[in-house]
Amino acid sequence: MELVQIQRSLVDYTKSLFMEGFLDAQFLQLQQLQDDSNPDFVFEVVSLFFEDSEKLLNELIIALDQPNVDFKKIDSHVHQLKGSSSSIGAQRVKNACIAFRNYCDVQNIEGCLTCLQQVKQECYLVKNKFETLFRLEQQIMASGGSVPTIELGF
Amino acid sequence: MNSSSGKSYMSTASSSVLWKAGGDVVADQFPAGLRVLLVDDDPTCLMILEKMLKACQYNVTKCNRAETALSMLRENRNGFDIVISDVHMPDMDGFKLLEHIGLEMDLPVIMMSADDGKNVVMKGVTHGACDYLIKPVRIEALKNIWQHVVRKRKNEWKDFEQSGSVEEGDRQPKQSEDADYSSSANEGNWKSSKRRKDDEDENDERDDTSTLKKPRVVWSVELHQQFVAAVNQLGIEKAVPKKILELMNVPGLTRENVASHLQKYRLYLRRLSGVSQHPSNLNNSFMNPQDATFGPLDLQALAATGQLPAQSLATLQAAGLGRSTAKSGIPMPLIDQRNIFSFENPKLRFGEAQQQHVNNNKQTNLLHGIPTTMEPKQLAGLHHTAQSMGNMNMPVLSHGSQSSQNNPLLMQMAQPQARGQMLNDSTVGLAPRLLSPRGQSMLSNGMATNVSTRNGVPENIRAPSYNPVSQTSSMFNFPMNHTSELPGNSFPLVSTPGISSLAPKVAFQEDVNSEIKGSVGFMPSYDIFNDLNQHKPQNWELQNVGMMFNSSRPSNSLQGNLDHTQSILVQQGFLSGQNRNSTVISKAMFSAGDSTGHVNAQNSNQHLNSLLDNTVRVKFERVADAAPANLYPDHFGQEDLMSALLKQQDIIAPAENNDFDFDGYSIDNIPV
């Protein structure tokens, strides 16, 4: 594929992610932080997020599986997940966390379980999206091009 | 440090000087190089924030555990400028960390959280966080965090300056100590300004009901004078409580007492200097910068010239202090004054006891007419100064200094701050003429401001007063001396702060006439004033001033003795309306046509504001040369005075056009 095409694909793809709510403006902030001194910054941060979120999700599964559910703990985990997802701009994950917390507040286990599934799902989805995104970026860079910066014009 | 701190207050640029960023050379590139300690257990956030902070050119240290952060801070106390911490952390609650840091290191701490619930944010505030950021944090939010560092430093320096120690908390209890100073307004005011670092006058009420840990110290006139002398000796910039305490050498006085008093004093001086809190303005401050007409009435200068007796200066200063400090400011003198003055002169009729703070009382003494006791040194000072000022429009210093009559009333229009007291003083002398209708609270400004100033009043007083002054420079030349006839006219200068109009132009002196007139309603009397060579000691000026200049009103209580011939002092409006609260009613008694020219101006200084009603009632009292004693009732409560006065005088001249525009000073009654 031609470089230009790849670049265009990247741009379009990124835009679609925003449109669909997978990403929000915070992601742009991340991208702006990336510079020559730190060209893989976004990649590193996102990777870190998924590592961390996986741990958290596992904890949540375990916690909800307990006979005596410790809602405080669950809330704490979800809170953290909410914070980190919002920091990278993973909007849908964040929203799912908010819903999760609401059920937690009312100590609704069923609701929590459902939300947990939802959060997991969203994480999975956005992870795929990111992977595609990074792949495109790598292709561009491998072709000698530069990754176009996305401007949210919409 | 003071000087540099002064600088730093001013600009952040200069604050770079403060930053001796641990080794970083970025001092001049502030805020670059700001040393930030970042604490968050979320690795993603930690990474992002670190990157953001670095992008802001800060020097970032990150850690993911609160314990680690604390130990880092303890090891290297001066190694960081600011801490940013997450709220929810597994090993330690973020607020706990916040407390620790605040206590041990006193660094500014910013809290962060994805939680934006009001309760959490409130918790941050109450625990002392200087800011709270909601995640996701944007880089823009981080760009300005340096402001917290600057702010904190600035406060620290202020503290240092003032009390010799950097403890903020220290101050609070002190405030309560000062409660006896009387006006809670002042107190509140002071406090708030302390807290806020700005010099608004608001918060009158921040009354401190807090911890009164120590028995209150009453700052008597003498004590305050000693204090001021010590401060002057050390130099205002270098005056630290410890040294002041040593110099004063007063047994039983603690450093804290001195520190809190010093704070007030500084505030007062700052206010005097026209509101800007420039420590350097202290000396000039007695005058309102705006009131330039007076020329800088530098009390100190005055004092230096011998015009103003040291005491007066002290008083004035005290008065000023009082004002600014929300409390009745001059705690000392004024309060004492009340005792001193007013009532020493039985003649002082004025009296309506000033409602205002004690200060007013003092003011009444201003009624110079009563040469006596007005001892309040302040008064004397005032007068004295007034005199020297000549026609200055001396800002009526309404300090309590109601020096007895002969002292020129220092009517410094000292900043409108109505030092309550000041007005008293000022009014006294000035009163008579001044009240230049101009609304400007002529002398009253000076005085008025002092008058129980309400904090708000000062404003009024400030500006206006000068107006008259300018006009008549001679105006209140009455410097109290004029009051020759006015027996004890210590017009109760209503210390109403409002008396702005009284335009401390105390110089009523002879020239008053034109100038003052307008407001003073004395119109006719101005001439009289001129004639009043007899300068009776009365301080009309003060009285007039007292008149309540309820600021904003041109209360021109003319008090002055018009001995000559019937100068009738019109007491404007003060009487009218005012009465309201304690304003002293100063009646100018003019001995019209009498040789005695006793004029007792009584100004009822009710709130000067009321005076401004322009319902100036001029009260002419012709007092025959009767022994002044008759004239002046002893301290009367307001009502009493009024009635007494009424009895004595039969003349109540209608107020003349008073268009005093006194700025709303409220003239408290000037106790007679």
Side-chain angles (χ1 to χ4, degrees):
Chain A
M1 248 208 233
E2 277 190 33
L3 178 60
V4 175
Q5 273 181 304
I6 303 176
Q7 283 172 328
R8 185 167 309 130
S9 299
L10 178 64
V11 171
D12 291 343
Y13 188 68
T14 309
K15 279 195 178 163
S16 74
L17 292 181
F18 282 104
M19 297 291 246
E20 290 166 25
F22 284 103
L23 295 181
D24 63 20
Q26 188 68 16
F27 183 70
L28 292 178
Q29 292 251 322
L30 285 195
Q31 287 195 316
Q32 284 168 12
L33 287 174
Q34 183 161 292
D35 55 19
D36 291 341
S37 67
N38 208 338
D40 296 325
F41 175 70
V42 180
F43 179 77
E44 284 171 13
V45 174
V46 172
S47 307
L48 196 54
F49 167 74
F50 285 113
E51 253 180 62
D52 198 39
S53 63
E54 208 165 316
K55 283 189 216 155
L56 282 171
L57 287 170
N58 286 337
E59 298 260 344
L60 282 169
I61 292 168
I62 295 170
L64 277 171
D65 209 18
Q66 301 296 311
N68 282 335
V69 177
D70 183 352
F71 285 100
K72 255 184 121 187
K73 193 165 167 204
I74 290 178
D75 185 71
S76 168
H77 287 316
V78 177
H79 176 74
Q80 178 157 339
L81 191 58
K82 176 188 167 192
S84 51
S85 60
S86 65
S87 294
I88 66 162
Q91 188 177 268
R92 278 162 68 146
V93 175
K94 178 189 80 177
N95 289 340
C97 287
I98 293 175
F100 195 153
R101 275 188 104 192
N102 289 338
Y103 280 106
C104 216
D105 286 345
V106 297
Q107 308 210 338
N108 181 337
I109 296 190
E110 286 305 318
C112 285
L113 284 168
T114 310
C115 281
L116 177 60
Q117 287 310 311
Q118 193 124 23
V119 172
K120 272 174 91 174
Q121 177 75 0
E122 291 296 342
C123 278
Y124 178 73
L125 283 172
V126 78
K127 190 171 177 191
N128 284 345
K129 301 289 184 185
F130 272 121
E131 282 170 356
T132 310
L133 202 65
F134 290 134
R135 211 171 24 243
L136 283 171
E137 282 188 2
Q138 273 171 359
Q139 280 181 341
I140 292 171
M141 295 201 296
S143 307
S146 55
V147 177
T149 46
I150 309 291
E151 280 165 30
L152 273 184
F154 54 96
Chain B
M1 158 154 0
N2 288 344
S3 52
S4 63
S5 65
K7 275 191 303 193
S8 61
Y9 289 173
M10 299 321 176
S11 65
T12 56
S14 58
S15 60
S16 62
V17 172
L18 314 179
W19 293 111
K20 319 245 172 248
D24 274 352
V25 141
V26 287
D28 293 333
Q29 298 150 24
F30 182 83
L34 194 67
R35 295 161 304 165
V36 183
L37 179 61
L38 180 60
V39 189
D40 195 338
D41 64 323
D42 181 352
T44 312
C45 291
L46 203 60
M47 189 171 175
I48 296 174
L49 285 165
E50 186 196 16
K51 190 81 175 68
M52 285 180 172
L53 289 166
K54 283 192 173 152
C56 295
Q57 296 188 293
Y58 296 149
N59 194 330
V60 187
T61 309
K62 63 178 179 188
C63 51
N64 61 358
R65 290 178 60 83
E67 294 291 353
T68 319
L70 257 186
S71 54
M72 262 197 243
L73 285 168
R74 283 172 183 149
E75 275 169 32
N76 188 2
R77 271 193 189 227
N78 293 325
F80 298 98
D81 298 314
I82 189 167
V83 178
I84 302 183
S85 169
D86 190 34
V87 169
H88 295 97
M89 288 189 290
D91 60 336
M92 187 195 287
D93 183 31
F95 295 118
K96 198 91 171 288
L97 178 65
L98 167 60
E99 277 175 18
H100 277 297
I101 296 176
L103 287 171
E104 298 178 31
M105 292 114 207
D106 197 28
L107 284 176
V109 180
I110 297 180
M111 300 306 293
M112 277 191 306
S113 181
D115 200 342
D116 58 353
K118 186 184 122 187
N119 294 338
V120 186
V121 179
M122 178 66 81
K123 224 174 152 191
V125 172
T126 55
H127 282 74
C130 61
D131 203 354
Y132 190 104
L133 304 176
I134 310 267
K135 289 182 180 175
V137 179
R138 293 166 61 84
I139 192 168
E140 288 82 12
L142 295 175
K143 282 205 173 123
N144 285 334
I145 61 173
W146 56 264
Q147 63 174 296
H148 302 294
V149 185
V150 175
R151 193 176 293 123
K152 193 134 197 163
R153 296 279 171 110
K154 180 180 167 189
N155 281 343
E156 283 175 3
W157 283 12
K158 259 202 214 174
D159 296 352
F160 180 85
E161 253 182 42
Q162 295 182 353
S163 61
S165 71
V166 189
E167 310 171 66
E168 187 100 25
D170 206 16
R171 281 197 279 242
Q172 300 310 321
K174 296 207 189 127
Q175 288 182 330
S176 50
E177 277 179 34
D178 299 318
D180 56 356
Y181 287 137
S182 65
S183 62
S184 58
N186 284 345
E187 184 174 6
N189 192 26
W190 174 69
K191 278 208 265 201
S192 60
S193 43
K194 270 267 73 160
R195 293 207 200 161
R196 301 192 252 177
K197 312 178 288 212
D198 37 35
D199 61 336
E200 311 171 74
D201 282 343
E202 61 306 339
N203 300 351
D204 287 7
E205 41 303 55
R206 247 209 277 155
D207 229 338
D208 193 14
T209 51
S210 61
T211 71
L212 198 54
K213 310 196 227 167
K214 316 172 199 196
R216 296 192 179 173
V217 169
V218 175
W219 282 86
S220 67
V221 179
E222 290 82 6
L223 199 59
H224 180 70
Q225 285 171 9
Q226 281 179 280
F227 168 83
V228 174
V231 168
N232 291 335
Q233 193 175 328
L234 292 167
I236 198 73
E237 302 284 325
K238 293 211 172 94
V240 289
K242 207 161 177 198
K243 292 195 183 148
I244 296 173
L245 187 63
E246 285 166 13
L247 278 176
M248 284 175 73
N249 197 17
V250 171
L253 195 64
T254 69
R255 191 201 74 81
E256 284 79 13
N257 299 140
V258 174
S260 77
H261 192 67
L262 179 60
Q263 280 172 352
K264 293 203 202 138
Y265 185 60
R266 284 175 187 269
L267 275 170
Y268 154 70
L269 292 174
R270 284 198 188 132
R271 282 187 205 287
L272 285 181
S273 63
V275 176
S276 56
Q277 312 235 337
H278 290 275
S280 50
N281 290 345
L282 297 178
N283 289 339
N284 304 331
S285 21
F286 285 107
M287 304 220 311
N288 218 344
Q290 304 173 358
D291 301 316
T293 52
F294 282 68
L297 263 189
D298 188 346
L299 275 185
Q300 307 207 338
L302 283 176
T305 59
Q307 304 279 1
L308 181 56
Q311 309 174 341
S312 311
L313 179 58
T315 318
L316 290 174
Q317 288 180 337
L321 238 186
R323 237 209 356 111
S324 44
T325 56
K327 281 201 291 203
S328 40
I330 317 200
M332 338 186 280
L334 297 176
I335 305 199
D336 297 338
Q337 288 189 339
R338 177 197 308 216
N339 309 325
I340 305 179
F341 294 87
S342 37
F343 317 88
E344 301 188 306
N345 301 323
K347 297 119 156 281
L348 292 176
R349 316 206 268 135
F350 316 94
E352 322 289 328
Q354 52 214 18
Q355 276 92 28
Q356 310 189 333
H357 314 290
V358 211
N359 304 332
N360 295 329
N361 295 335
K362 315 277 182 104
Q363 301 176 347
T364 44
N365 292 330
L366 293 183
L367 299 183
H368 300 297
I370 307 190
T372 55
T373 52
M374 291 274 277
E375 101 147 321
K377 322 182 197 188
Q378 289 129 8
L379 195 49
L382 273 183
H383 298 300
H384 188 65
T385 324
Q387 296 211 328
S388 33
M389 309 272 206
N391 312 314
M392 319 211 216
N393 296 322
M394 318 212 268
V396 183
L397 268 186
S398 10
H399 287 292
S401 43
Q402 304 173 345
S403 36
S404 21
Q405 342 58 66
N406 299 321
N407 300 326
L409 262 188
L410 230 130
M411 312 252 248
Q412 305 204 353
M413 303 268 248
Q415 356 252 326
Q417 317 201 333
R419 306 236 207 156
Q421 299 119 15
M422 305 287 253
L423 281 181
N424 298 328
D425 300 332
S426 40
T427 46
V428 170
L430 302 177
R433 300 247 209 172
L434 317 182
L435 303 186
S436 39
R438 302 217 207 172
Q440 344 178 55
S441 27
M442 312 216 288
L443 292 179
S444 39
N445 287 338
M447 308 216 274
T449 44
N450 296 326
V451 178
S452 46
T453 49
R454 314 273 151 145
N455 293 330
V457 177
E459 273 41 354
N460 302 329
I461 309 197
R462 207 160 351 172
S465 43
Y466 289 72
N467 306 332
V469 174
S470 38
Q471 308 196 342
T472 56
S473 40
S474 56
M475 292 233 278
F476 293 93
N477 284 329
F478 281 155
M480 333 302 184
N481 298 324
H482 285 298
T483 55
S484 44
E485 298 268 317
L486 291 177
N489 278 332
S490 17
F491 293 103
L493 284 183
V494 186
S495 20
T496 51
I499 310 198
S500 38
S501 34
L502 275 186
K505 303 214 203 210
V506 182
F508 259 152
Q509 304 165 6
E510 308 24 308
D511 311 326
V512 179
N513 30 349
S514 34
E515 280 73 275
I516 310 199
K517 42 222 143 27
S519 37
V520 182
F522 271 111
M523 315 297 230
S525 44
Y526 291 119
D527 297 351
I528 303 177
F529 285 113
N530 292 333
D531 299 324
L532 290 178
N533 311 327
Q534 331 182 293
H535 302 293
K536 292 211 180 165
Q538 291 124 20
N539 306 319
W540 301 318
E541 289 123 353
L542 292 181
Q543 294 162 356
N544 288 337
V545 173
M547 295 203 301
M548 346 340 115
F549 284 117
N550 286 319
S551 33
S552 56
R553 285 196 196 239
S555 39
N556 307 320
S557 27
L558 302 173
Q559 302 176 353
N561 304 329
L562 305 177
D563 295 2
H564 319 290
T565 58
Q566 335 249 230
S567 20
I568 290 182
L569 283 178
V570 179
Q571 279 225 321
Q572 315 238 341
F574 295 113
L575 305 178
S576 49
Q578 327 273 326
N579 286 315
R580 324 330 134 127
N581 329 321
S582 58
T583 46
V584 177
I585 299 184
S586 35
K587 297 182 196 197
M589 315 243 282
F590 303 107
S591 47
D594 287 351
S595 45
T596 60
H598 289 281
V599 178
N600 297 319
Q602 310 229 334
N603 303 322
S604 42
N605 294 327
Q606 327 237 317
H607 297 286
L608 288 174
N609 299 318
S610 47
L611 285 178
L612 293 181
D613 295 324
N614 276 347
T615 49
V616 175
R617 284 189 284 150
V618 178
K619 250 176 168 210
F620 292 90
E621 300 184 350
R622 313 237 165 109
V623 177
D625 233 11
N630 316 340
L631 298 176
Y632 305 97
D634 292 340
H635 319 295
F636 288 160
Q638 210 169 5
E639 291 73 2
D640 289 347
L641 274 177
M642 267 318 267
S643 49
L645 286 172
L646 287 172
K647 277 192 250 157
Q648 295 185 8
Q649 352 169 301
D650 324 314
I651 308 160
I652 292 193
E656 301 194 342
N657 48 343
N658 302 312
D659 34 297
F660 304 127
D661 343 326
F662 288 101
D663 308 333
Y665 294 113
S666 46
I667 303 187
D668 293 346
N669 298 333
I670 299 181
V672 169

